Amino acid sequence: MDFALPQDLRDYLAELDRFIEAEIKPLEDRDDNVRFFDHRREYARTDFEGGGLPRHEWEELMREAKRRADKAGHLRFAMDPKFGGKGGSNLWMCVIREYLAAKGLGLHNDLQTEHSIVANNPFAKMFDDFGTEAQRAEFIAGTMDGTRRVTFGLTEPRHGSDATHMETRGVAEERDGVPGYLLNGEKMWTTGMHVATHCALFARTSGDDGAAKGITCFLVPCDDPGVVIEEYLWTFNMPSDHPRVSFTNVWVPDTAIFGAKENGLPVAQAFVHENRIRQAASSLGAASYCIEESIRYARQRKPFGEDLARNQGIQFPLVELATQVEMLRLLIRKTAWEMDQMPHHEVEKRLSDRVSMCNYWANRLCCEAADRAMQVHGGIGYSRHKPFEHIYRHHRRYRITEGAEEIQMRKVAAFLFGYLGPRRGELGDLDWSDVDYRQEPQIRPRSGEQALR
């Protein structure tokens, strides 16, 4: 058992540092681009008069940073070599994402927008796994050069975690001899719709509400006249590119089906584990940043003539947070390493609970660390001249959007109590009829026909 980071990984982190100093920091400092990261960041990024959308200058700055990162060979690091990537493992990606987030706010890694010089872009892999030959030819190259941008239409105004109860419907309809579907419905939080060329729209095409089967994913062109952005939803974390979108009598041919007909949910779930473990690492890095900044400030600030850090009221909360960071780092890296040891489809069966543990706890920890950093810094910590309010606002969303923490805790509980996962055969159906609650309970699995039922 060796917990040391491989030398080639440490070398790559140093290479990223050199790239940031040579290419990204000068770009961040040029033309007052620092306004996107200092106390002016929210106004600089947000077109408040234009629906709260991201300003064009902000999005173009991120695109330029990505172009430079791609040219240097970093942007596609996690992607398969056939897409120009380096096949970065989950473990490496977790270490890298934590490392970049621990640097604080900057153009190298802006967590509010999922922007990073080492991208976590699953779409090329998704189209490779689920797309038809024609879709792969169009969308893999298109996602690389920016001519195709796909948003997800899964959540609805009345359905979030209960996605299988979606009300959007697809009805088979042939037009001019071409088989296809007529789509009607409404979606929420279709992030990036303002620049998307297509929406991966999930609709029920058969089956009853709540059934996993009978849901089909369609690649719907966003310029169809039946696709209407009804409103942009302003959030705690501006700017907002999360609209409510209606789909009215939108017809698409069968060739627009993405993934298996009547079995579209695997498309939405395909890379949830990779996204969650890497996002957990980012939250861990941001938490580490908040704690480290608080420690430094507490040593430098001298109320009543001595270090603020001498007060146990300052020390103990940071000790608890630092302890959680150390423990969580080990769990994240162990889980990521285990994910790399098995086929992708096995992760759901064997490690899904550990991924959820990492994700929901990291997001909660980051919010607690940012809140504590505000408290340690006092008034200046509450101001926008420090990044803590920005970090808090962004990471607070992840307790909902990356799978609500209650849903993730439910997954952990299902594994823990044997309703799912490796313990399912071990625990089985338990017979509570013979339990004497006056003594230590001796619970016996049902046997024979009872167990089969």
Side-chain angles (χ1 to χ4, degrees), residues 406-426:
E406 292 83 2
I407 294 296
Q408 297 203 54
M409 291 171 74
R410 185 181 178 189
K411 171 62 72 67
V412 175
F415 274 62
L416 189 64
F417 290 96
Y419 296 109
L420 294 174
R423 301 192 73 191
R424 190 170 188 174
E426 171 193 342

Side-chain angles (χ1 to χ4, degrees), residues 154-169 184-187 202-215 265 269 407 410:
L154 182 62
T155 302
E156 297 185 350
R158 285 178 289 274
H159 302 285
S161 298
D162 59 336
T164 56
H165 290 261
M166 68 179 63
E167 298 174 31
T168 301
R169 292 292 186 264
N184 283 278
E186 195 170 45
K187 296 295 181 178
F202 294 82
R204 181 163 292 285
T205 51
S206 69
D208 298 327
D209 288 345
K213 296 289 186 179
I215 293 173
L265 282 184
Q269 299 169 339
I407 294 296
R410 185 181 178 189

Side-chain angles (χ1 to χ4, degrees), residues 300-321:
Q300 296 166 3
R301 185 79 166 178
K302 300 186 184 299
F304 309 106
E306 65 178 18
D307 290 358
L308 180 64
R310 289 189 175 274
N311 296 292
Q312 291 177 343
I314 296 295
Q315 293 176 356
F316 286 5
L318 291 173
V319 165
E320 291 194 353
L321 290 169

Side-chain angles (χ1 to χ4, degrees), residues 429 431 433 445-453:
D429 287 332
D431 186 357
S433 60
R446 294 181 185 269
S447 59
E449 185 179 346
Q450 287 180 318
L452 292 176
R453 290 203 300 268

Side-chain angles (χ1 to χ4, degrees), residues 8 31-32 65 73 78 105 128 172 179 206 229 272 312 321 336 367 370 419 428 436 438:
D8 51 352
D31 300 327
D32 196 32
L105 301 188
D128 194 42
S206 69
I229 295 175
V272 65
Q312 291 177 343
L321 290 169
C367 290
Y419 296 109
D436 184 348
R438 295 168 296 180

Side-chain angles (χ1 to χ4, degrees), residues 29-272:
D29 294 335
R30 193 180 74 190
D31 300 327
D32 196 32
N33 286 331
V34 73
R35 71 188 185 277
F36 296 111
F37 305 99
D38 65 17
H39 61 280
R40 301 168 290 173
R41 55 187 169 262
E42 190 163 28
Y43 180 81
R45 296 178 180 201
T46 309
D47 184 358
F48 289 100
E49 290 74 36
L53 285 168
R55 294 189 190 275
H56 297 303
E57 300 89 343
W58 167 229
E59 294 192 311
E60 178 53 37
L61 179 64
M62 288 188 288
R63 281 192 287 269
E64 175 58 25
K66 289 176 181 175
R67 283 192 286 266
R68 296 186 181 196
D70 202 19
K71 183 178 180 181
H74 301 308
L75 188 70
R76 308 186 197 187
F77 173 83
M79 300 178 71
D80 192 287
K82 66 183 177 183
F83 303 131
K86 299 179 181 179
S89 67
N90 285 296
L91 176 59
W92 276 49
M93 280 296 288
C94 283
V95 173
I96 292 167
R97 299 287 272 191
E98 179 193 346
Y99 184 77
L100 294 177
K103 291 178 177 290
L105 301 188
L107 188 55
H108 66 286
N109 189 72
D110 188 79
L111 296 173
Q112 184 189 44
T113 57
E114 304 296 338
H115 161 83
S116 178
I117 59 171
V118 181
N120 188 33
N121 184 348
F123 277 106
K125 176 66 173 170
M126 290 176 67
F127 279 102
D128 194 42
D129 286 351
F130 296 101
T132 63
E133 185 175 346
Q135 289 169 348
R136 288 196 293 270
E138 176 181 358
F139 285 93
I140 290 177
T143 57
M144 297 301 176
D145 62 21
T147 59
R148 293 293 181 271
R149 297 176 182 174
V150 182
T151 184
F152 259 49
L154 182 62
T155 302
E156 297 185 350
R158 285 178 289 274
H159 302 285
S161 298
D162 59 336
T164 56
H165 290 261
M166 68 179 63
E167 298 174 31
T168 301
R169 292 292 186 264
V171 179
E173 180 180 297
E174 185 176 295
R175 291 191 178 181
D176 299 325
V178 178
Y181 281 83
L182 191 66
L183 305 172
N184 283 278
E186 195 170 45
K187 296 295 181 178
M188 289 271 282
W189 313 116
T190 47
T191 303
M193 188 73 182
H194 67 299
V195 293
T197 60
H198 292 76
C199 177
L201 181 72
F202 294 82
R204 181 163 292 285
T205 51
S206 69
D208 298 327
D209 288 345
K213 296 289 186 179
I215 293 173
T216 304
C217 181
F218 299 91
L219 293 171
V220 178
C222 292
D223 59 1
D224 188 288
V227 179
V228 177
I229 295 175
E230 300 291 348
E231 62 175 331
Y232 283 98
L233 299 150
W234 289 36
T235 69
F236 191 35
N237 188 37
M238 297 295 285
S240 174
D241 57 348
H242 320 293
R244 176 171 60 88
V245 183
S246 63
F247 299 82
T248 305
N249 294 327
V250 176
W251 185 86
V252 293
D254 279 0
T255 54
I257 294 175
F258 184 31
K261 180 180 175 181
E262 312 288 344
N263 191 30
L265 282 184
V267 175
Q269 299 169 339
F271 300 98
V272 65

Side-chain angles (χ1 to χ4, degrees), residues 303-365:
F304 309 106
E306 65 178 18
D307 290 358
L308 180 64
R310 289 189 175 274
N311 296 292
Q312 291 177 343
I314 296 295
Q315 293 176 356
F316 286 5
L318 291 173
V319 165
E320 291 194 353
L321 290 169
T323 301
Q324 291 183 54
V325 162
E326 292 299 323
M327 292 189 293
L328 184 60
R329 178 179 294 116
L330 292 177
L331 181 60
I332 288 175
R333 293 183 181 180
K334 175 178 179 289
T335 303
W337 178 84
E338 289 180 319
M339 291 171 67
D340 292 331
Q341 309 310 306
M342 63 185 68
H344 177 269
H345 67 273
E346 285 294 313
V347 174
E348 170 65 28
K349 301 174 184 177
R350 295 163 56 185
L351 280 178
S352 188
D353 60 329
R354 294 297 191 272
V355 175
S356 287
M357 284 180 183
C358 293
N359 190 265
Y360 94 80
W361 196 259
N363 295 332
R364 187 185 295 180
L365 176 61

Side-chain angles (χ1 to χ4, degrees), residues 360 363-365 367-368 392 394-406 408:
Y360 94 80
N363 295 332
R364 187 185 295 180
L365 176 61
C367 290
E368 292 176 356
Y392 180 88
H394 169 71
H395 287 270
R396 183 60 183 85
R397 99 179 190 186
Y398 277 128
R399 294 178 62 187
I400 300 170
T401 61
E402 194 59 35
E405 63 181 42
E406 292 83 2
Q408 297 203 54

